[in-house]
Amino acid sequence: MTGSSAGLGGEPGRSSAPRAPKVVRTQSVLEQHGRDFTYHEPHLPHAVVYPESTAEVSLIVRFAADHDIPIVPFGVGSSLEGHIIPIKGGISLDMSRMNRIVEFRPNDFVVRVEPGVTRSQLNEAIQPLGLFFPVDPGADATLGGMAATNASGTNAVRYGAMRENVKGLEVVLADGRIVKTGGMAVKSSAGYNLTGMFVGSEGTLGIFTSITLKLHPIPESIVAARAVFPDIDAAGRAAVSIVGAVPIGRIELVDPLTIAAVNIYKGTHYEEKPTLFLEFSGSVLSVGRDIEIARELCEDEGCESLQMESDSKARAQLWEARHSAAMALMAMNPGKKMMTTDVCVPITELPGALRHARETMTRYGFEGSILGHVGDGNYHAGFTVDPDHLEDMERLEAVNSEIVRYALNRGGTCTGEHGLGLGKGKYLEQEFGSEAVVLMRQLKQTLDPMGILNPGKGVDFLNR
Amino acid sequence: MTGSSAGLGGEPGRSSAPRAPKVVRTQSVLEQHGRDFTYHEPHLPHAVVYPESTAEVSLIVRFAADHDIPIVPFGVGSSLEGHIIPIKGGISLDMSRMNRIVEFRPNDFVVRVEPGVTRSQLNEAIQPLGLFFPVDPGADATLGGMAATNASGTNAVRYGAMRENVKGLEVVLADGRIVKTGGMAVKSSAGYNLTGMFVGSEGTLGIFTSITLKLHPIPESIVAARAVFPDIDAAGRAAVSIVGAVPIGRIELVDPLTIAAVNIYKGTHYEEKPTLFLEFSGSVLSVGRDIEIARELCEDEGCESLQMESDSKARAQLWEARHSAAMALMAMNPGKKMMTTDVCVPITELPGALRHARETMTRYGFEGSILGHVGDGNYHAGFTVDPDHLEDMERLEAVNSEIVRYALNRGGTCTGEHGLGLGKGKYLEQEFGSEAVVLMRQLKQTLDPMGILNPGKGVDFLNR
């Protein structure tokens, strides 16, 4: 089947140039694999290993199992919850050389990729055939990392998160066994849904070596818009109304502080007020109608200006600005690290949740930003912090806890798309109750009895 | 939260009328719970138990675990693969008295129901608020049964199967523990996806006592259509083209034999030729445009007539006819039992798969019907058979096996929506390989070490 991948994504890891070493222990590479840009404490792996095939991953995992060595999968290191930090050392398994598009069936709307393919690499390859892969976390993450955290992003309101778009996996288990899950068919009721269990398992149940993804046709018409509001409440209410009324493509809320940071970072001149970034897509006819409905709903909430961008370059610039919000905040606060909440609430609870988040931040004396995927009820309160400043860290933890408690009390979740990682596992029992957590631990114990797969992350948070 | 359920679905199990007994052992009731209308051999339970709450289910399961008694959950008994037959006796757990709509949040597009609520009961309750639940297997099944088999139906091409529409569950495990999974938020990356693991587990991992479902707004405009083709190949090719070109609501293929049966059973006068039943939905504008595109694609394949029905009564009649196809076949063959294949293939493989199915049936001397959800690549070859006629049964098994092998060789699945039940477990290893099946058995062993939950079904097929 590899014949169909000709010219799609290339095979950089398999070139005939002098072969790069597969095991690296130089200090700079260890450091690069031992930290992310969040507040989580760095920790070096003992070695970085670069597998080039499923068989190699299986061999490495068997070696690790034989010697009781932890293994932490690594994509591009864009996790926001410390997933890739090898807190117990061991092997950082860098998947960047497994970056081939293995099988592409455009007319079936499916593609099978290796886990090191990034979302932009995939989209560049499939775009000429009128298809795209919608899941778009801010960073240009690998599809393996995105599947591991059940990532989503700005398109989830319309196309779902990774869970809705991963059709099947090849997974290397903790003892080196290779398991195939799912398939190429649109749906299946055959056996337990192993694919669904592995997606979002944060590297703690198995290592993904191949991922089958659902693709979507690029809509005929796409129009982006910016709607500026007098206050964040009004923007939140408008978002809820719009989501209920039209099949919106994207709907993102950005607060003034973040707009200001983006303006500096990207050289844009957006008004520094609460803003909804919107995208309408579909047929030319339906998009025109959807825009008119959204315009009325925005005006009902006192919208001060509504700017359209149908030109593809201007649209790309607008979404690039939105996607760079986290980097912009980091750039405004050099030397500091990022901490971000990630709660998701039922959408009608969103305006109240945004107000509560702002009040809580103010009460604790923080100037955090608020931005998020409000069409899903998912938003982020973002802060930069010096991890060595213990008092700041404690205050941040308190803000995070209050925001999470508010969401959980309203049927929400502690993490909409970032995953538990190192930071959110402590909320798991609050969210689901102790019996569910016991069951999750039983699954971990069944699949990884020695605890070598990404120890201390996610459900395994007690194992520090 | 029960306040919000006032007037929605009632509380028949909790009325103050003379209470119905909770344990029934009369012959007629045992028989009703010991067979379905398929070819699978009936087997009586020892008792039928009617729980009225989660606490009661937990007590019953604990009792069963203490005495090593099998438990088989029962909805309305509409399984097409023998799921509800207690092949080892024990308790048939009839969920019909747990039929309350527990919590309804129309503006969040979610509802939480007990497992005995049927899909039509739910839709009647939510329709006044402009919402509907799209998953529609032919029978008026319970939502518990539908979640257990990952059911889908004619709307899956647009709205997905149960897996895409179940947000959370309450599950009683094999030791009586009560586990909560998922929540009310649109998305979550918190912990292992227990919801996804339980949906489609066919009663073998736990008993569902509460189900949180995603709802959808009723589209502004809905138009149904019937397109008649000269042969089944042309109908299949037209289906594939339409699915690639417009966001079709429903697209169903029915063969002449089945149309003839429906005409007799429902008193309709549809032309007895290969026919696509279609449904377009969305805004008035987009539906009009979609119909024009579909009309052209149908004409390209030699469509002989294309009949529209925008009146809601005529539409209902058309879909009722389609939904009664299985019952119509049964009525044409009194005294016989049903056997149906359920493969699902990547959609471009569909025309070839339909041709292969027809050839295989002819080769083995069968006059089966072909109908299916062709927008998903899922179709059914249906036969009626006398289970006591061993030679017929053997020939049918051979047809089934050849159809499944054809699908699996092309990346398909042995069951798109019916589940493995008693009939399809034997194909599991062919589909996923032995390592995946070993892992599924490990999950079964972890969650139900005594094997009391629906023994012999699905992944547990070796335990007969």
Side-chain angles (χ1 to χ4, degrees):
Chain A
M1 292 291 188
T2 40
S4 63
S5 74
L8 283 173
E11 308 196 355
R14 290 170 179 75
S15 74
S16 56
R19 298 184 73 80
K22 292 190 182 188
V23 180
V24 178
R25 301 196 58 188
T26 54
Q27 189 64 18
S28 64
V29 171
L30 294 181
E31 277 174 10
Q32 183 214 337
H33 290 77
R35 59 175 146 71
D36 55 21
F37 65 98
T38 72
Y39 69 103
H40 294 296
E41 194 184 344
H43 197 290
L44 296 193
H46 290 95
V48 179
V49 181
Y50 297 85
E52 296 182 16
S53 69
T54 302
E56 285 186 5
V57 173
S58 175
L59 277 174
I60 295 161
V61 172
R62 250 182 284 158
F63 174 86
D66 287 348
H67 298 85
D68 203 4
I69 298 170
I71 297 201
V72 182
F74 185 98
V76 302
S78 57
S79 160
L80 288 167
E81 279 298 354
H83 288 97
I84 55 89
I85 301 173
I87 59 168
K88 302 196 167 197
I91 294 168
S92 175
L93 196 69
D94 187 314
M95 307 305 282
S96 58
R97 293 187 200 163
M98 288 184 72
N99 65 346
R100 290 188 316 153
I101 293 173
V102 183
E103 184 178 1
F104 180 30
R105 295 194 186 192
N107 295 318
D108 288 318
F109 305 98
V110 286
V111 69
R112 193 156 61 85
V113 301
E114 289 183 333
V117 172
T118 67
R119 64 178 179 88
S120 70
Q121 181 193 343
L122 174 62
N123 275 317
E124 274 160 36
I126 63 177
Q127 187 266 336
L129 282 137
L131 296 171
F132 81 116
F133 183 71
V135 185
D136 65 334
D140 188 17
T142 62
L143 291 155
M146 288 162 65
T149 53
N150 186 33
S152 43
T154 66
N155 278 312
V157 59
R158 177 83 156 248
Y159 296 97
M162 285 302 281
R163 201 159 275 156
E164 285 79 33
N165 288 285
V166 176
K167 304 300 302 171
L169 294 166
E170 183 184 69
V171 184
V172 174
L173 302 183
D175 56 5
R177 270 186 294 160
I178 300 163
V179 164
K180 180 203 158 195
T181 79
M184 291 275 172
V186 171
K187 63 186 189 183
S188 172
S189 288
Y192 300 145
N193 178 17
L194 298 178
T195 310
M197 182 183 74
F198 282 114
V199 174
S201 62
E202 311 191 39
T204 66
L205 294 183
I207 315 275
F208 307 159
T209 48
S210 160
I211 308 169
T212 304
L213 298 166
K214 186 173 164 183
L215 303 176
H216 300 265
I218 297 173
E220 180 190 40
S221 167
I222 305 175
V223 176
R226 271 183 311 114
V228 178
F229 291 86
D231 58 75
I232 203 161
D233 268 30
R237 286 194 306 268
V240 170
S241 310
I242 292 169
V243 169
V246 302
I248 190 80
R250 292 163 151 172
I251 182 161
E252 300 282 303
L253 189 146
V254 189
D255 86 330
L257 188 87
T258 315
I259 302 252
V262 166
N263 279 342
I264 294 169
Y265 187 68
K266 300 292 291 184
T268 46
H269 299 91
Y270 300 133
E271 245 184 302
E272 292 171 10
K273 288 199 164 182
T275 303
L276 290 181
F277 285 50
L278 302 145
E279 190 169 274
F280 305 89
S281 59
S283 68
V284 175
L285 284 169
S286 64
V287 164
R289 205 194 65 133
D290 292 348
I291 289 173
E292 282 324 300
I293 294 171
R295 185 191 300 278
E296 273 178 39
L297 294 171
C298 284
E299 282 166 4
D300 286 352
E301 295 296 348
C303 172
E304 296 175 358
S305 86
L306 182 64
Q307 204 80 23
M308 299 292 160
E309 309 278 18
S310 54
D311 170 67
S312 74
K313 219 163 165 184
R315 270 196 291 115
Q317 194 190 26
L318 187 147
W319 290 110
E320 205 192 311
R322 163 62 189 84
H323 273 139
S324 62
M327 295 315 294
L329 278 174
M330 292 292 296
M332 261 183 104
N333 297 278
K336 291 202 173 181
K337 298 286 227 159
M338 191 79 182
M339 185 203 217
T340 170
T341 72
D342 179 37
V343 298
C344 186
V345 294
I347 51 174
T348 58
E349 302 285 353
L350 185 72
L354 293 174
R355 197 162 49 236
H356 170 266
R358 176 56 67 203
E359 281 166 11
T360 307
M361 290 193 287
T362 307
R363 185 152 35 85
Y364 282 90
F366 275 114
E367 254 219 331
S369 69
I370 288 182
L371 83 170
H373 317 298
V374 295
D376 303 318
N378 179 211
Y379 73 93
H380 309 296
F383 314 88
T384 55
V385 64
D386 173 2
D388 295 330
H389 193 303
L390 288 185
E391 200 213 305
D392 272 11
M393 288 294 289
E394 271 173 29
R395 279 191 307 145
L396 273 180
E397 267 305 327
V399 174
N400 198 353
S401 291
E402 286 202 23
I403 287 176
V404 169
R405 196 180 321 129
Y406 184 96
L408 296 187
N409 285 341
R410 283 152 188 84
T413 178
C414 69
T415 172
E417 57 181 8
H418 295 169
L420 300 171
L422 282 172
K424 306 277 200 290
K426 54 179 174 274
Y427 302 118
L428 200 58
E429 198 162 311
Q430 272 182 57
E431 183 164 339
F432 297 111
S434 58
E435 294 294 9
V437 177
V438 168
L439 177 53
M440 290 183 195
R441 294 223 179 91
Q442 283 181 285
L443 293 181
K444 170 70 176 173
Q445 179 64 28
T446 302
L447 272 88
D448 180 22
M450 293 174 65
I452 61 166
L453 296 177
N454 212 358
K457 313 293 170 59
V459 169
D460 196 37
F461 68 97
L462 288 182
N463 178 25
R464 295 275 168 86
Chain B
M1 292 291 191
T2 41
S4 61
S5 74
L8 283 172
E11 308 196 355
R14 290 169 178 76
S15 76
S16 57
R19 298 183 73 80
K22 292 190 182 185
V23 181
V24 178
R25 301 197 55 190
T26 55
Q27 190 63 18
S28 64
V29 171
L30 294 182
E31 278 174 9
Q32 185 214 336
H33 290 77
R35 59 174 146 72
D36 55 24
F37 65 98
T38 72
Y39 70 103
H40 294 295
E41 194 183 347
H43 197 290
L44 297 192
H46 290 96
V48 179
V49 182
Y50 297 86
E52 296 182 15
S53 68
T54 302
E56 285 187 5
V57 173
S58 174
L59 276 174
I60 295 162
V61 173
R62 250 181 286 160
F63 174 84
D66 287 348
H67 298 84
D68 203 4
I69 298 169
I71 298 198
V72 182
F74 185 99
V76 301
S78 56
S79 160
L80 288 168
E81 279 298 354
H83 288 98
I84 56 87
I85 301 174
I87 59 168
K88 302 196 168 196
I91 294 169
S92 175
L93 197 70
D94 187 315
M95 307 305 283
S96 57
R97 292 185 202 164
M98 289 185 68
N99 65 346
R100 289 187 316 154
I101 292 173
V102 183
E103 184 178 2
F104 180 31
R105 295 193 186 192
N107 296 318
D108 288 317
F109 304 98
V110 286
V111 69
R112 192 155 63 84
V113 302
E114 288 182 334
V117 172
T118 68
R119 66 179 178 88
S120 69
Q121 182 192 342
L122 174 61
N123 275 315
E124 275 160 36
I126 63 178
Q127 187 269 336
L129 283 135
L131 296 172
F132 81 116
F133 183 70
V135 186
D136 66 335
D140 188 18
T142 62
L143 291 156
M146 289 163 62
T149 53
N150 187 33
S152 44
T154 66
N155 278 311
V157 58
R158 177 82 157 248
Y159 296 98
M162 285 302 280
R163 202 159 273 155
E164 285 79 36
N165 288 284
V166 175
K167 304 301 302 171
L169 294 165
E170 182 184 69
V171 184
V172 174
L173 301 184
D175 57 4
R177 271 185 292 159
I178 300 162
V179 163
K180 181 202 157 195
T181 79
M184 291 274 172
V186 170
K187 64 187 189 182
S188 172
S189 289
Y192 300 145
N193 179 16
L194 298 178
T195 310
M197 182 182 73
F198 282 115
V199 173
S201 63
E202 310 191 40
T204 66
L205 294 183
I207 316 274
F208 307 159
T209 48
S210 161
I211 307 169
T212 304
L213 298 165
K214 185 172 163 184
L215 303 175
H216 300 265
I218 296 173
E220 180 190 41
S221 168
I222 305 175
V223 175
R226 269 183 313 114
V228 178
F229 291 85
D231 58 73
I232 204 162
D233 267 32
R237 287 193 306 266
V240 170
S241 310
I242 292 169
V243 169
V246 303
I248 191 79
R250 292 163 151 172
I251 181 160
E252 300 283 304
L253 187 146
V254 189
D255 86 330
L257 189 89
T258 315
I259 303 251
V262 166
N263 279 341
I264 295 169
Y265 187 68
K266 300 293 290 184
T268 46
H269 299 89
Y270 300 132
E271 246 185 301
E272 291 170 12
K273 289 199 164 182
T275 303
L276 289 180
F277 285 51
L278 302 144
E279 190 169 273
F280 305 88
S281 59
S283 68
V284 174
L285 284 171
S286 63
V287 164
R289 206 194 64 132
D290 292 347
I291 288 173
E292 283 323 299
I293 294 172
R295 185 190 298 278
E296 274 177 38
L297 294 171
C298 285
E299 282 166 4
D300 287 351
E301 295 296 348
C303 173
E304 297 176 357
S305 86
L306 182 64
Q307 204 80 22
M308 299 290 162
E309 308 278 18
S310 55
D311 170 67
S312 74
K313 219 164 166 183
R315 270 197 291 115
Q317 195 190 24
L318 187 146
W319 289 110
E320 205 191 311
R322 164 61 188 86
H323 272 138
S324 62
M327 295 315 292
L329 278 175
M330 293 291 295
M332 260 183 106
N333 298 278
K336 292 202 172 180
K337 298 287 226 160
M338 190 81 182
M339 186 204 218
T340 173
T341 71
D342 179 35
V343 298
C344 187
V345 293
I347 51 176
T348 57
E349 302 285 353
L350 186 72
L354 293 174
R355 198 163 47 235
H356 169 267
R358 175 57 68 202
E359 283 166 8
T360 307
M361 290 195 285
T362 307
R363 184 152 37 86
Y364 282 90
F366 274 113
E367 252 219 333
S369 69
I370 288 183
L371 81 172
H373 316 298
V374 295
D376 303 319
N378 180 211
Y379 74 93
H380 310 296
F383 315 87
T384 56
V385 65
D386 173 2
D388 294 331
H389 193 303
L390 288 185
E391 200 215 305
D392 272 12
M393 287 295 288
E394 272 173 28
R395 278 192 306 145
L396 273 180
E397 267 305 329
V399 174
N400 199 352
S401 291
E402 287 202 22
I403 287 177
V404 169
R405 196 179 324 127
Y406 184 96
L408 297 188
N409 285 341
R410 283 150 187 85
T413 177
C414 69
T415 174
E417 57 181 9
H418 296 168
L420 299 171
L422 283 172
K424 304 278 201 289
K426 55 179 173 278
Y427 302 118
L428 200 58
E429 198 161 310
Q430 274 181 56
E431 183 163 340
F432 297 111
S434 58
E435 294 294 9
V437 177
V438 168
L439 177 53
M440 290 184 195
R441 294 225 179 91
Q442 282 181 286
L443 293 181
K444 171 69 177 175
Q445 179 65 27
T446 301
L447 271 88
D448 180 20
M450 294 174 65
I452 62 168
L453 295 177
N454 211 1
K457 313 293 170 58
V459 170
D460 197 36
F461 67 98
L462 289 182
N463 178 24
R464 293 272 169 87

